[in-house]
């Protein structure tokens, strides 16, 4: 679509162009390309600057997504200083999120759209939010599933009273930090963004696994009690899906709603007791089409002066629960929020690994950034 002559055109910069997903040399999911697709679809944005430590990657990306017109940088701080940007996307690995987001905020960029998870430590996560609050920058994180049909329809049915009053939300996924951030964010989405008042968690680490520089558990469970009395239970790792039987389950006083990876993606047992598949869900749970919708919402939020749906105001409480679960495992007790994390600045699992608590996870597998050691 064409931009309205009376509407602002936003100048966009992207940090971390990388390589497209599943192409030679790629290491991630090519999220920068999806961000770029979203900006271009709005008809309101111009990608004017790209930063990547490998200039050739930025050049190829610019040719594909910016018509070869974007200015190229190998130093993102130089880009922030020179490019006069309205929006910055941070599409790097989590270890780089905090310094880049903070730098963008300090440079006065009005809006920052960062990949999830927030950061590898709770302290960095807080500091990102604090920096943007000081600068007045809008900060959003890519919990894009809020824009997919199945999740929006599940929430709509819940709000219409299809299962009575919400009592509990359950989920299953591969890990707390990298994947669990999506499901915990959905718990907040279903539950009116109500923050947690306490968290009880346990993890097991039998097989070393590091995802984008952050250690992950082999199995875990996180129980969160939200301030309105709703309970969230998230199982992760080996056996998690078999334990729950679906991706998400919303349990109410008069029925339940299930979100499934396999079609039918949404299933309902309502007040009449009949089990039914919810019609009209044409997207799977991992549709990349959600990211252009999220970008469009961010742009619209800037026009309207409102918070975007993926605002840090729900990303930070999401992250708080995840780190509280790891902290609960570290201290072997319940973590009351927010006081229970007030003195926590690190990643509790990384700290435990560095201390040798999990002998099956060699410290040499842990990045030096999080307390690891060289082989």
């Amino acid at each position: 679509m064409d931009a309205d002559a009376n509407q602002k055109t936003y100048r966009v910069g992207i940090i971390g162009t990388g390589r497209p997903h599943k192409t030679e040399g790629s290491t991630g999911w090519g999220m920068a390309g999806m961000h770029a697709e979203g900006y271009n679809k709005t008809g309101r944005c111009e990608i004017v600057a790209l930063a990547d430590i490998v200039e050739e990657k930025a050049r190829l990306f610019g040719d594909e997504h910016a018509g070869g017109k974007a200015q190229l940088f190998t130093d993102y701080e130089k880009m922030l200083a020179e490019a006069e940007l309205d929006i910055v996307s941070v599409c790097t690995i989590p270890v780089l999120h905090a310094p880049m987001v903070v730098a963008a905020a300090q440079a006065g960029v009005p809006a920052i759209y960062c990949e999830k998870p927030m950061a590898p430590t709770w302290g960095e996560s807080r500091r990102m939010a604090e920096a943007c609050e000081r600068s007045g920058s809008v900060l959003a994180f890519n919990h894009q599933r809020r824009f997919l049909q199945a999740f929006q329809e599940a929430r709509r049915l819940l709000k219409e009273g299809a299962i009575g009053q919400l009592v509990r939300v359950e989920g299953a996924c591969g890990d707390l930090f990298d994947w669990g951030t999506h499901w915990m964010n959905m718990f907040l989405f279903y539950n009116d963004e109500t923050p947690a008042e306490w968290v009880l968690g346990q993890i097991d680490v039998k097989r070393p696994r590091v995802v984008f520089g952050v250690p992950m558990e082999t199995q875990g469970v996180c129980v969160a009690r939200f301030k309105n009395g709703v309970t969230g239970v998230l199982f992760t790792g080996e056996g998690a899906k078999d334990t729950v039987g679906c991706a998400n389950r919303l349990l109410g006083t008069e029925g339940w709603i299930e979100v499934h990876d396999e079609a039918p993606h949404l299933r309902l047992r309502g007040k009449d007791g009949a089990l039914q598949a919810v019609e009209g869900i044409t997207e799977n749970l991992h549709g990349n089409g959600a990211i252009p919708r999220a970008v469009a919402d961010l742009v619209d939020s800037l026009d309207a002066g409102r918070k975007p749906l993926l605002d840090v105001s729900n990303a930070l409480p999401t992250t708080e629960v995840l780190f509280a679960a790891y902290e609960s495992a570290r201290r072997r007790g319940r973590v009351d929020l927010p006081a229970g994390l007030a003195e926590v600045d690190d990643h509790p699992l990384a700290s435990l690994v560095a201390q040798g608590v999990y002998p099956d996870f060699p410290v040499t597998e842990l990045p030096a950034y999080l307390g690891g050691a060289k082989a």
Side-chain angles (χ1 to χ4, degrees):
M1 62 181 177
D2 295 325
D4 188 299
N6 296 319
Q7 290 181 314
K8 177 181 174 65
T9 297
Y10 292 98
R11 292 172 57 85
V12 176
I14 298 176
I15 304 174
T17 58
R19 296 181 184 274
H21 181 44
K22 292 185 177 179
T23 61
E24 185 178 356
S26 67
T27 58
W29 292 86
M31 303 307 290
M34 299 177 202
H35 285 230
E37 178 185 348
Y39 291 121
N40 288 331
K41 280 187 174 181
T42 67
R44 302 283 313 286
C45 298
E46 182 182 2
I47 300 172
V48 299
L50 301 167
D52 197 287
I53 57 173
V54 180
E55 186 174 349
E56 182 62 17
K57 291 182 182 179
R59 179 173 291 106
L60 292 172
F61 188 95
D63 290 344
E64 180 177 359
H65 297 287
K69 298 178 181 179
Q71 190 174 359
L72 307 181
F73 297 85
T74 55
D75 181 342
Y76 72 88
E77 291 181 312
K78 184 175 174 63
M79 181 185 83
L80 294 172
E82 296 180 3
E84 299 182 355
L85 302 171
D86 299 305
I87 306 173
V88 167
S89 271
V90 177
C91 300
T92 59
I93 61 175
V95 68
L96 298 175
H97 288 176
M100 291 175 172
V101 167
V102 170
Q106 292 175 341
V109 177
I112 304 161
Y113 185 27
C114 184
E115 271 304 313
K116 61 83 202 168
M118 285 188 72
T121 69
W122 175 234
E124 288 174 299
S125 301
R126 292 196 319 271
R127 287 188 283 276
M128 295 161 79
E130 291 164 357
C132 289
E133 184 175 7
R134 286 193 299 270
S135 68
S137 303
V138 172
L139 177 58
F141 288 88
N142 196 28
H143 293 112
Q144 76 273 17
R145 282 170 176 77
R146 288 181 174 228
F147 288 93
L148 290 175
Q149 285 180 309
F151 304 105
Q152 292 206 336
E153 184 67 6
R155 187 178 186 276
R156 186 189 69 79
L157 289 167
L158 171 66
K159 299 311 169 187
E160 289 183 351
I163 61 171
Q165 189 72 25
L166 183 65
V167 175
R168 187 165 75 250
V169 188
E170 301 173 348
C173 61
D175 55 70
L176 281 168
F177 182 76
D178 186 59
W179 182 257
T181 188
H182 277 301
W183 279 180
M184 192 55 63
N185 190 259
M186 294 312 305
F187 287 10
L188 293 175
F189 182 60
Y190 301 137
N191 195 29
D192 297 325
E193 316 297 357
T194 306
E197 64 179 5
W198 59 258
V199 174
L200 189 65
Q202 185 56 275
I203 57 174
D204 180 67
V205 183
K206 282 190 168 61
R207 278 163 285 285
R209 179 168 169 255
V210 174
V211 178
F212 297 127
V214 183
M216 304 290 164
E217 73 277 5
T218 306
Q219 288 178 286
V221 60
C222 168
V223 180
R225 175 62 60 86
F226 298 99
K227 289 185 176 181
N228 60 357
V230 172
T231 299
V233 184
L234 181 61
F235 294 90
T236 70
E238 295 178 1
K241 187 175 181 180
D242 292 338
T243 299
V244 178
C246 58
N248 291 175
R249 180 181 293 115
L250 289 69
L251 292 159
T253 53
E254 299 179 73
W256 51 256
I257 300 167
E258 289 184 347
V259 182
H260 284 261
D261 286 303
E262 307 82 13
H265 295 295
L266 205 59
R267 306 168 198 187
L268 167 69
R269 189 182 296 278
K271 297 177 181 180
D272 61 2
L275 177 62
Q276 59 178 299
V278 178
E279 301 296 331
I281 306 299
T282 59
E283 300 174 332
N284 64 36
L285 305 190
H286 314 291
N288 293 330
I291 295 176
R293 294 171 204 166
V295 171
D297 178 71
L298 175 62
V299 171
D300 182 73
S301 76
L302 295 176
D303 292 337
R306 62 167 176 83
K307 290 181 179 180
L309 186 58
L310 305 187
D311 189 67
V312 67
S313 59
N314 60 68
L316 191 64
T318 295
T319 306
E320 179 183 47
V321 173
L322 304 179
F323 279 115
Y326 286 123
E327 178 62 16
S328 177
R330 174 161 65 178
R331 69 176 63 169
R332 301 180 184 179
R334 193 177 91 174
V335 174
D336 295 314
L337 297 172
L341 287 183
E343 302 300 322
V344 174
D345 200 66
D346 62 354
H347 186 328
L349 173 56
S351 177
L352 291 170
V353 171
Q355 294 168 28
V357 172
Y358 296 107
D360 295 317
F361 200 135
V363 176
T364 52
E365 296 287 334
L366 189 68
Y369 168 80
L370 293 174
K374 295 181 179 180

